[in-house]
Amino acid sequence: MHFDRKVTPLLLVAPFFALFVVFGAFPLLYTAWVSLHDWNLLEGDQGHFGLANYGALLADPHFYNALANTVGIFVLAAVPEFLLALGIAALLDRPLRAATWWRTGVLLPNVVSVVAVGLVFGQLFSRDYGVVNQVLGWFGIAPVNWRATTWASHVAVASMVLWRWTGYNALIYLAAMQAVPGQLYEAAALDGASRWRTFWSVTVPGIRPALAFTAIAGTVNGLQLFAEPQLLDGGSGGTGGNDRQFQTLVMYLYEKGFTHFDAGYAAALTWVMFVLCAGFALVNYRLVRRFVRSA
């Protein structure tokens, strides 16, 4: 009996760890090994390289361009995304008719195929026949070539990200809001706090774990952005426009690994991205905690 109590729990969790080793730990360690070699994707190992791939990466202007594009698109999308998600969650937390329908509806953009999203937004931001340029024309603004310049392409890609993920984050915030103790709202009402003051002093601090989760998850997803800008690019090999004006880090990784077949360089870029994701996630987590405390 004593043996069963020790062994049975280990047997129950063993499949998870077996799958993690095969599909998680091994690829991670193998990528680290590949990054230290001159490795062609088709021909395999061409010899030990040491840290040469990392040295070449840190001296590569295309890498810094992709990093700047990734951060720029992330900031353009993340700030309004989190604020809109908070506002939508606050509205959904109030008594509504057909509340389940509204709460389900905000998740629809997230479950739609990213390819469909890219195709639709590609048409919306078309230079000659796009709806966005047509609306801008009503206000006397000349048509914008959304793929030609840095700021315009960043806005186009950020709008896709914003549309896809705002509802998802709103539902996470909504679930957290419904777990905030009602006694805190009653105490705030007795103190004469306005609805706005109650939201920022009771609701927002009460959903701090959800805010931290979305900040970390959003940072990781934002730095791994690929599908939206690749679809906007029209499948030109991951260059992100003629001047690489919206090439992200993962697009550059795709270009090096699957267009130039330089798997060693792509593996080094993968590990640098891992460090960047961890660093940015930590910074965003601290910023969210400071924001909540000051609310």
Side-chain angles (χ1 to χ4, degrees):
M1 181 67 68
H2 183 68
F3 176 79
D4 289 343
R5 289 181 178 178
K6 283 190 172 182
V7 175
T8 301
L10 295 177
L11 293 177
L12 292 175
V13 299
F16 164 78
F17 286 102
L19 290 174
F20 173 75
V21 169
V22 174
F23 297 105
F26 173 74
L28 194 66
L29 296 175
Y30 188 72
T31 302
W33 171 258
V34 171
S35 71
L36 300 176
H37 292 75
D38 178 13
W39 199 291
N40 184 276
L41 187 64
L42 300 179
E43 300 175 1
D45 188 4
Q46 305 297 302
H48 186 66
F49 234 36
L51 298 177
N53 283 321
Y54 292 94
L57 176 64
L58 296 178
D60 186 354
H62 292 326
F63 163 71
Y64 293 104
N65 173 72
L67 176 60
N69 290 336
T70 304
V71 174
I73 295 171
F74 167 72
V75 172
L76 275 176
V79 174
E81 176 187 322
F82 293 144
L83 294 177
L84 279 174
L86 269 177
I88 293 172
L91 291 175
L92 294 176
D93 194 36
R94 302 177 63 183
L96 295 172
R97 289 185 178 181
T100 302
W101 187 90
W102 289 107
R103 293 169 184 174
T104 304
V106 298
L107 191 61
L108 287 179
N110 186 253
V111 299
V112 174
S113 168
V114 66
V115 176
V117 173
L119 292 175
V120 171
F121 273 81
Q123 294 299 315
L124 290 175
F125 286 100
S126 173
R127 182 188 63 181
D128 299 320
Y129 306 105
V131 175
V132 176
N133 277 340
Q134 186 175 6
V135 173
L136 292 178
W138 296 346
F139 300 94
I141 302 175
V144 178
N145 189 344
W146 296 97
R147 295 173 176 83
T149 62
T150 299
W151 73 268
S153 59
H154 286 194
V155 169
V157 175
S159 66
M160 297 188 214
V161 178
L162 179 67
W163 189 82
R164 285 195 69 219
W165 292 101
T166 298
Y168 172 83
N169 288 327
L171 286 186
I172 293 177
Y173 295 155
L174 175 62
M177 288 177 182
Q178 294 182 338
V180 177
Q183 297 89 334
L184 297 178
Y185 292 107
E186 295 173 1
L190 291 174
D191 289 339
S194 64
R195 180 175 293 175
W196 180 257
R197 187 70 260 175
T198 300
F199 177 75
W200 287 108
S201 298
V202 177
T203 304
V204 172
I207 63 171
R208 183 167 57 187
L211 292 171
F213 168 76
T214 54
I216 295 173
T219 301
V220 173
N221 290 333
L223 293 179
Q224 294 179 356
L225 190 63
F226 174 73
E228 290 87 348
Q230 178 72 0
L231 290 169
L232 184 70
D233 193 19
S236 62
T239 57
N242 295 330
D243 296 325
R244 301 178 181 269
Q245 61 268 24
F246 57 94
Q247 184 182 51
T248 62
L249 286 172
V250 180
M251 290 177 71
Y252 189 46
L253 187 154
Y254 174 83
E255 179 190 4
K256 297 297 290 188
F258 295 97
T259 302
H260 300 158
F261 304 117
D262 192 349
Y265 192 97
L269 179 54
T270 300
W271 272 92
V272 171
M273 285 181 57
F274 171 77
V275 174
L276 289 173
C277 285
F280 276 103
L282 179 61
V283 169
N284 279 352
Y285 173 72
R286 292 183 177 274
L287 288 176
V288 168
R289 289 189 62 183
R290 183 172 298 180
F291 168 74
V292 172
R293 288 176 179 176
S294 62

